[in-house]
Amino acid sequence: MGRRWRDGAGWLVVDGDVGGGGVRVPLEIAGSYRARTRGLLGRDSLDGAMLLSPANSVHTFRMRMPIDVAYLDRRLVVIAVRTMRPGRLGLPRVRSRHVLEAEAGAMAGWGVRVGVRVGVEPGEADQAVGGETGEPGG
């Protein structure tokens, strides 16, 4: 069964290449239809990232800022990263099951790029459904 998350908070975990360090980024999880539809619309900024799940495309109509968009496959491996200006429609990615959004330029600083596997650690009240934790290696 695929991963399904409830709306809420958590952490995006990006493993470091050198020295085993890693990056933990505050994460908003949008797992419901309503939360995914609302996304980042009308915001001027975002502290961290937002995970839209399930999702395979996004748009930036009515957004106030450019965003980085990372498309993730079912194993949470990044298959594409794009920066989108407001008023754009992103093409659907066939293998994408989840989409990460962040302020433009943030993902490069976190090490999010094609081929990197990320992890999602739901907050205390938000547990993964379906027996999978979303953690790297799981």
Side-chain angles (χ1 to χ4, degrees):
M1 174 176 266
R3 292 178 174 96
R4 295 190 64 90
W5 288 281
R6 296 185 185 129
D7 295 346
W11 296 95
L12 173 68
V13 180
V14 184
D15 288 332
D17 290 325
V18 181
V23 178
R24 285 175 51 98
V25 177
L27 182 68
E28 293 180 37
I29 301 170
S32 69
Y33 175 78
R34 182 177 179 172
R36 289 190 313 270
T37 301
R38 185 176 53 243
L40 297 176
L41 297 178
R43 293 195 193 188
D44 292 322
S45 65
L46 173 67
D47 179 29
M50 177 175 276
L51 174 71
L52 307 174
S53 180
N56 69 354
S57 67
V58 295
H59 68 82
T60 58
F61 301 120
R62 296 185 5 224
M63 284 198 186
R64 299 177 180 170
M65 62 184 173
I67 60 171
D68 283 346
V69 178
Y71 299 88
L72 311 175
D73 70 8
R74 64 182 180 82
R75 296 183 59 235
L76 302 180
V77 174
V78 178
I79 57 176
V81 180
R82 300 286 181 263
T83 299
M84 295 177 63
R85 295 190 320 254
R88 302 287 188 246
L89 178 63
L91 296 174
R93 303 285 171 165
V94 176
R95 294 186 316 136
S96 178
R97 298 296 178 265
H98 318 279
V99 174
L100 275 175
E101 297 179 338
E103 287 189 19
M107 289 189 189
W110 301 333
V112 175
R113 61 185 177 287
V114 173
V116 169
R117 186 169 185 199
V118 300
V120 174
E121 296 177 359
E124 294 263 338
D126 304 306
Q127 298 299 317
V129 178
E132 294 180 9
T133 62
E135 295 176 5

